[in-house]
Amino acid sequence: MAGRRCVVDCLAAFQSPALVAEQAGSSQVICRESDIYLCNGSEFVSVYSKLEKCVKVIYSFPGNVCHLAEDTEKDNLYVLCAKDGVYCIPLQNRMSTGSQSHGDLVGSCSVSPDSCVLRDPTVLSFIFLESILVTVGQAGKTWTLSLFETVDKGQSPYRKLEELQVPILATRGASSAGKDWRPPALCCIYPHGAKGKARSGTGHFSLEPGLFSLLFGVDASMVASPVVLCGLPDGRLCCLPLRLPVSLAPADKGEESKVRVLHHLGQPVCFIGASLAGEKGNGCLLALGRGGKALVVTPRLGSEGRVAGFTEQHLSSPVASACCSGTHLYYSTGSQLLALQLSPGTPEAGDSKDSWERAVPDQTSPVPPHSLSPVSLNVCSLAALALPADSPTGAVELVAMTQKGTLLQIILPERSDGGQRARLTSSLAGQRIRDLLAGIGNVSDRVSSLKSCIQQKNDALKHLNQVFNVCCMLLSNQEGGEKGASQCKQPISCHVSARWSRLLLQDTLILTCCLENSSDYVLEQGWTLCIQVTPQSCPLTPETAGSARTYAFPFDKLLPSKSMEVTLPLAPGSDLVLPVSVHCSLAYSLKSILGVEAIGHLPSHNPLLSSQANDGHCISLALSTQTVDWLDCLRICEPVAMGNRACSWSNPLADPVQVLLSSRKAMGQNRDPKNKGAGLGLDGGPFVASVKVSSEVLTTALKLCGSGPSLASSTLHWLLSSNPEADSLRSQALPVLTAAAPGGSKVRLLAKEICLRDLSADRPITAVEIQIESSSLAELCGLHHSILCRIQPLLKEGVSGDGALPGLRTQRLRELLHHAEVLSKEVQGVRDRMSLGLEASSSTAEKLLHTYQQLRNTDLLLL
């Protein structure tokens, strides 16, 4: 090349580039197919056509132009005006927004301020890639790297995605002004084969995958993340990967952790490029400093394997502008244009294969020799260079602009590729094979890990879909039930029953909960049946939540049309507090699917989400709420015939020793003269209470016909329908029933039909009287309350309309109501005086008990 002359062709003449300090280095040339875009530091951008060999249009901007970049995908040209912002021009319709002079061949186009897509006076340089605009500016003592999301058709403003700050080093390169000052140099590096790589001519380069992974990490290489390289005026060469896996993105370490410094050149960086192009991309990364220092980055074989080798070289003179092509670096010093061959072995280099291997025995890729010998191309005073293009004849074409504003086309002599590639030695070939095999193994491990991760995510999505379907099914069914739209059976239901069992020498009430899956879905592993038992004496509130007990029963799988039964002890008979509410629900923990971090981002106000102890959030679906009262817990004895009042009051399940001790204790209390009120205690009985219900109400509610058991017997069967011990008595007439209460006291239930004549003027009213007899007043009150709770829903349904109510005697009803009110006020008065300590004698207790019995044996009829 040194012995051959270059062909220089003058294309056009423009205004001399601005030489003021703030516009130094703003001359730029971009080649795009047959058009050339150039700026010289003024407010004009010119477009020259190589086919027509003339200037086609000149754009006029509101400020001095200092940087150009193109978007080849959307066919736009981006222009940076000093201390103003970034403008966008569509290249296909160049003349649509301007005005062309009729008597002039050159069209002039004035760009309006509305074309500004990013207005920021601090921006010094920018680059466009994959619909993202990356800008570098200076704000005080920091460099600001900003990322913006572009909008179609050049609309404004662009949305800012992220802003990163890098402190400015106190060096001469960062603070000096004048001719030596240069804006930050930007370029985008892709791994070879990346889909987002733009065409050449836009500051975008591809690197060989091995070098790319050594420089920027395996993760950036695996996801083909573009990396922005920024050469700052303070000498630092920084990199910013734009796309990394979420798990590897820096978190809570500051913004500067995303920007990594690769090298410090010690002088302002004026050019970044790549060279030594091969089948898998460029094998060399170059960075040039303003003072002539060159940084060459290539893969190198070290003691720990393949590493990225950073080699600094010194050029013979400062660098004004530069560009790369294949194996050559072309740069202008301001006074002359020089060419430097980067790969050894050509006739111009003068180095043989053996001498090259002796010089760099530990390198696996070619690098420039330690003694750089650039060749002058005999072209002087160049201010800007464009990336070269190879002509069909094999020659290299450069486009440059001189310091006086002349646009030149420089054709370099043809190159000969013979003898450039040196044959690999057996040791280097073996090492490369080992490296390839190691890389294949790493990729295989990585692929296996990714497959496992994808499989886990697929399983999690499958489980979430199944959970979502179950939630929608249950919620829609519950909404239909609340609106009264459907009375069908729940697709997933839970039924509760109580039975007595002998545990640890104590009679204990056992709750049996049966979960039935009548839906078409399989309840897989992860679901949990939760049962919460709450005494109704203390309603469930945040203050009284401690009195409620929650039981969790995880299960592996429940198929359709299958059921699962679980049991839990409620309490021994002596410690039992009735009635209790049993809340059944299905819970699904999201912790095993989403993880702890994702659980924290879930909305806390979601009604489906609840916190279960310390197990994180879970989805909770209510199934049913049932009440277990005194009627459900009776231990039934053998039934007796009507009129036979004799019955064995012994508890068949009680411990004989406890019965003996209790009887001896009771005898001792009766003999004690100090125990004056023993005969009037709560267990002194028997105590009697009664409830009268209209026969029409019971007949309508129980849907009884003329044939079958009597109404009194059917009423007792209905009251004990949820008691499993009464199952054996379903087919028997049951007018009288004896049983043992949970506390062991004697209980008798009697149902008989009566006729009330004093309440109706037309005809007698038939009713069913339910009598309760017990030796314990507390258990009598509990049974009385349970019966009233069973009858209350029947009154809401009403009586059938075919028969009207008989003419009631209003005066008699008023008398009965007045009598009940008088008794109630009397009880309240006695309780108030006892709470103040005014009455505490045995006569007061006897009076209070007598009044209670009158209240529970009133003649009022439930119609």
Side-chain angles (χ1 to χ4, degrees):
M1 183 179 293
R4 300 178 184 178
R5 296 180 61 87
C6 299
V7 178
V8 180
D9 187 10
C10 181
L11 300 180
F14 299 89
Q15 183 183 2
S16 177
L19 299 178
V20 294
E22 295 185 1
Q23 296 302 322
S26 58
S27 300
Q28 188 176 357
V29 179
I30 294 179
C31 294
R32 181 178 181 271
E33 297 178 353
S34 62
D35 292 338
I36 300 174
Y37 302 89
L38 68 154
C39 66
N40 55 6
S42 64
E43 68 271 20
F44 301 106
V45 173
S46 303
V47 182
Y48 179 86
S49 175
K50 291 192 293 182
L51 296 178
E52 301 174 6
K53 296 185 178 180
C54 65
V55 178
K56 299 173 63 175
V57 64
I58 297 177
Y59 293 97
S60 177
F61 288 85
N64 293 335
V65 177
C66 55
H67 189 66
L68 302 177
E70 61 174 340
D71 179 8
T72 57
E73 295 182 358
K74 299 181 180 179
D75 206 16
N76 293 331
L77 180 67
Y78 290 85
V79 179
L80 173 62
C81 292
K83 298 183 179 180
D84 188 358
V86 180
Y87 290 76
C88 178
I89 304 174
L91 298 180
Q92 292 182 350
N93 301 321
R94 283 189 286 263
M95 301 302 298
S96 60
T97 58
S99 61
Q100 185 175 4
S101 302
H102 295 285
D104 198 354
L105 296 178
V106 180
S108 63
C109 182
S110 178
V111 180
S112 66
D114 296 336
S115 299
C116 183
V117 296
L118 177 62
R119 195 170 298 279
D120 187 356
T122 64
V123 176
L124 301 176
S125 182
F126 72 96
I127 192 171
F128 185 90
L129 68 157
E130 293 187 359
S131 300
I132 295 178
L133 182 65
V134 182
T135 64
V136 180
Q138 181 177 354
K141 296 183 179 181
T142 60
W143 299 109
T144 303
L145 280 77
S146 302
L147 280 71
F148 298 87
E149 182 182 20
T150 60
V151 186
D152 292 337
K153 300 182 181 179
Q155 297 176 359
S156 177
Y158 285 0
R159 185 171 66 90
K160 180 179 287 189
L161 299 177
E162 193 174 16
E163 179 175 320
L164 307 173
Q165 294 183 351
V166 179
I168 296 179
L169 296 181
T171 60
R172 180 179 179 273
S175 60
S176 62
K179 296 177 61 178
D180 291 335
W181 188 90
R182 287 292 183 273
L186 289 174
C187 80
C188 186
I189 303 296
Y190 295 83
H192 179 69
K195 295 182 180 180
K197 181 185 181 303
R199 295 191 294 269
S200 61
T202 58
H204 295 238
F205 306 95
S206 66
L207 282 184
E208 184 266 336
L211 179 59
F212 187 92
S213 61
L214 290 176
L215 280 175
F216 311 116
V218 177
D219 296 279
S221 178
M222 290 293 294
V223 298
S225 171
V227 178
V228 176
L229 289 183
C230 178
L232 298 175
D234 56 15
R236 286 178 293 178
L237 180 63
C238 304
C239 68
L240 173 62
L242 294 186
R243 183 169 61 242
L244 282 180
V246 177
S247 59
L248 300 176
D252 302 329
K253 296 182 180 180
E255 296 175 342
E256 63 273 13
S257 61
K258 298 183 180 179
V259 181
R260 185 164 58 94
V261 178
L262 291 180
H263 192 76
H264 197 299
L265 204 58
Q267 52 187 243
V269 180
C270 63
F271 172 76
I272 305 173
S275 186
L276 299 181
E279 297 179 356
K280 295 185 178 181
N282 296 286
C284 173
L285 181 66
L286 288 175
L288 300 182
R290 172 66 179 164
K293 184 180 292 187
L295 174 66
V296 182
V297 183
T298 56
R300 176 178 299 178
L301 181 62
S303 58
E304 298 178 359
R306 285 172 62 88
V307 296
F310 291 78
T311 304
E312 288 188 358
Q313 304 290 340
H314 293 274
L315 303 177
S316 58
S317 56
V319 178
S321 60
C323 62
C324 283
S325 173
T327 60
H328 285 78
L329 170 68
Y330 306 95
Y331 67 97
S332 172
T333 64
S335 59
Q336 58 179 338
L337 177 64
L338 301 175
L340 177 64
Q341 185 174 347
L342 298 177
S343 62
T346 61
E348 292 82 0
D351 292 327
S352 65
K353 168 188 171 184
D354 295 336
S355 62
W356 173 253
E357 291 180 354
R358 288 193 300 270
V360 284
D362 60 337
Q363 296 177 354
T364 60
S365 297
V367 295
H370 292 281
S371 178
L372 298 179
S373 300
V375 177
S376 176
L377 300 179
N378 299 320
V379 182
C380 60
S381 302
L382 297 183
L385 286 175
L387 290 176
D390 293 334
S391 65
T393 61
V396 177
E397 296 180 1
L398 292 178
V399 178
M401 186 171 63
T402 65
Q403 295 178 357
K404 294 183 179 182
T406 304
L407 182 63
L408 302 179
Q409 181 179 8
I410 305 171
I411 302 177
L412 304 181
E414 298 180 6
R415 298 180 308 197
S416 175
D417 294 333
Q420 286 189 355
R421 296 186 179 179
R423 181 176 300 176
L424 292 176
T425 62
S426 59
S427 60
L428 291 178
Q431 181 60 40
R432 290 194 177 184
I433 292 175
R434 288 192 293 270
D435 293 342
L436 289 174
L437 293 177
I440 292 173
N442 293 335
V443 171
S444 177
D445 294 341
R446 186 80 175 179
V447 168
S448 300
S449 177
L450 290 176
K451 284 184 177 179
S452 176
C453 182
I454 292 174
Q455 184 63 33
Q456 291 178 0
K457 291 183 177 181
N458 290 338
D459 293 341
L461 289 176
K462 179 181 177 182
H463 292 161
L464 282 178
N465 183 52
Q466 186 255 9
V467 172
F468 179 76
N469 291 333
V470 173
C471 293
C472 292
M473 176 187 62
L474 290 179
L475 291 178
S476 61
N477 195 280
Q478 290 175 4
E479 292 177 359
E482 292 176 359
K483 297 179 181 178
S486 61
Q487 299 295 334
C488 60
K489 183 180 179 181
Q490 291 281 350
I492 300 177
S493 59
C494 187
H495 305 282
V496 179
S497 61
R499 60 179 177 85
W500 287 94
S501 179
R502 191 73 174 169
L503 296 177
L504 300 177
L505 301 179
Q506 282 186 327
D507 295 333
T508 304
L509 187 64
I510 303 297
L511 284 184
T512 301
C513 302
C514 182
L515 178 65
E516 296 182 2
N517 183 13
S518 302
S519 66
D520 297 331
Y521 299 103
V522 179
L523 300 182
E524 297 181 350
Q525 185 177 9
W527 288 100
T528 301
L529 176 61
C530 297
I531 301 173
Q532 189 177 59
V533 181
T534 307
Q536 290 187 358
S537 58
C538 49
L540 183 59
T541 61
E543 291 78 9
T544 61
S547 60
R549 293 184 179 182
T550 302
Y551 304 86
F553 299 93
F555 54 90
D556 293 335
K557 180 181 293 187
L558 185 61
L559 298 175
S561 304
K562 298 295 182 180
S563 61
M564 180 189 71
E565 189 175 280
V566 297
T567 59
L568 55 99
L570 191 59
S574 58
D575 300 334
L576 190 60
V577 179
L578 293 175
V580 294
S581 296
V582 182
H583 307 274
C584 301
S585 62
L586 275 179
Y588 192 91
S589 177
L590 299 176
K591 186 176 180 181
S592 59
I593 296 179
L594 303 180
V596 179
E597 296 181 358
I599 287 295
H601 299 293
L602 291 177
S604 58
H605 61 274
N606 195 321
L608 287 179
L609 297 180
S610 62
S611 180
Q612 298 289 336
N614 298 324
D615 194 26
H617 289 76
C618 70
I619 295 177
S620 182
L621 300 170
L623 295 179
S624 63
T625 298
Q626 295 179 240
T627 300
V628 178
D629 55 16
W630 293 87
L631 289 174
D632 298 326
C633 303
L634 290 179
R635 289 175 284 187
I636 299 175
C637 307
E638 291 296 330
V640 299
M642 185 65 178
N644 186 6
R645 306 286 293 182
C647 176
S648 175
W649 291 95
S650 62
N651 184 358
L653 298 179
D655 187 3
V657 179
Q658 294 294 336
V659 173
L660 177 62
L661 293 178
S662 299
S663 62
R664 300 299 298 174
K665 180 179 179 181
M667 294 175 60
Q669 289 180 351
N670 294 331
R671 295 174 182 176
D672 188 0
K674 297 181 181 180
N675 191 6
K676 298 179 180 181
L680 298 174
L682 296 181
D683 294 327
F687 302 100
V688 180
S690 65
V691 178
K692 300 180 180 66
V693 189
S694 171
S695 299
E696 293 185 4
V697 173
L698 292 175
T699 302
T700 303
L702 301 182
K703 299 179 180 179
L704 299 178
C705 56
S707 61
S710 63
L711 181 59
S713 179
S714 299
T715 302
L716 279 184
H717 280 298
W718 169 69
L719 290 175
L720 299 172
S721 59
S722 58
N723 193 322
E725 294 195 8
D727 293 340
S728 60
L729 308 177
R730 300 298 181 194
S731 59
Q732 304 180 26
L734 201 65
V736 179
L737 178 71
T738 59
S745 61
K746 303 175 286 282
V747 173
R748 176 182 286 112
L749 295 179
L750 170 64
K752 61 182 179 179
E753 297 187 43
I754 60 175
C755 183
L756 301 177
R757 303 178 182 275
D758 57 345
L759 295 179
S760 175
D762 297 342
R763 55 185 175 86
I765 300 176
T766 59
V768 174
E769 181 181 9
I770 305 171
Q771 288 187 357
I772 313 154
E773 298 181 7
S774 176
S775 60
S776 172
L777 181 61
E779 296 181 352
L780 176 77
C781 295
L783 288 171
H784 189 245
H785 178 266
S786 300
I787 293 175
L788 291 178
C789 290
R790 303 285 176 93
I791 296 176
Q792 186 176 5
L794 304 183
L795 301 178
K796 297 180 181 179
E797 299 178 2
V799 187
S800 60
D802 54 351
L805 291 175
L808 298 178
R809 293 181 177 178
T810 309
Q811 184 63 28
R812 177 58 179 166
L813 289 177
R814 289 178 179 176
E815 292 177 359
L816 293 176
L817 289 175
H818 178 69
H819 181 65
E821 291 177 357
V822 171
L823 293 177
S824 178
K825 291 180 180 179
E826 184 178 351
V827 171
Q828 185 63 38
V830 173
R831 292 182 61 184
D832 293 342
R833 290 191 297 270
M834 292 182 65
S835 63
L836 296 177
L838 301 179
E839 293 186 10
S841 62
S842 60
S843 61
T844 302
E846 183 179 359
K847 181 179 179 181
L848 186 60
L849 291 176
H850 180 71
T851 306
Y852 264 124
Q853 288 186 352
Q854 287 183 318
L855 277 174
R856 297 188 182 275
N857 283 281
T858 180
D859 291 333
L860 286 173
L861 176 65
L862 300 178
L863 295 174

